[in-house]
Amino acid sequence: MSKFNFVMSGDGDDGEGDLGVALKTRAKSKRPPMYKVMLLNDDYTPMEFVVHILERFFGMTHAQAFEIMLTVHKKGVAVVGVFSHEVAETKVTQVMDFARRHQHPLQCTMEKE
């Protein structure tokens, strides 16, 4: 929604009825909250499967995916991306569904940044 501010020119006593100039200003829009998508380590999901997930659903190169997989393995959790709520929710669902279809207990979660 736009607002208009009117600025009057002149001193106003010339009797000609000055015309105002409209200046368009924008209302500041607030950025939507972002969500971190995280993979959690388990003792059963093969490392190669995690690398495949990262390449397929998060568009990582093999080297990037391998590095993140090692972080998950060593630290127990890693942020694999930051997205809008809808995109994060979709990615979590895709990863969880894919893992279940392949009978792996891999967990993928999201939390507000």
Side-chain angles (χ1 to χ4, degrees), residues 63-96:
Q64 291 169 324
F66 191 82
E67 191 175 319
I68 295 290
M69 176 276 296
L70 285 179
T71 301
V72 173
H73 181 68
K74 292 176 183 176
K75 295 189 176 184
V77 65
V79 174
V80 297
V82 179
F83 308 96
S84 67
H85 185 270
E86 293 78 14
V87 172
E89 199 170 52
T90 299
K91 297 235 182 240
V92 168
T93 300
Q94 288 174 329
V95 169
M96 295 293 288

Side-chain angles (χ1 to χ4, degrees), residues 1-5 22-30:
M1 185 147 100
S2 298
K3 296 180 185 177
F4 290 97
N5 294 327
L23 301 176
K24 192 172 183 179
T25 59
R26 286 186 183 258
K28 294 214 176 193
S29 56
K30 196 172 166 184

Side-chain angles (χ1 to χ4, degrees), residues 40-57:
L40 308 176
N41 189 43
D42 63 70
D43 294 330
Y44 305 101
T45 304
M47 292 179 175
E48 299 81 21
F49 186 79
V50 175
V51 169
H52 180 69
I53 289 276
L54 293 168
E55 291 170 344
R56 179 174 178 159
F57 296 107

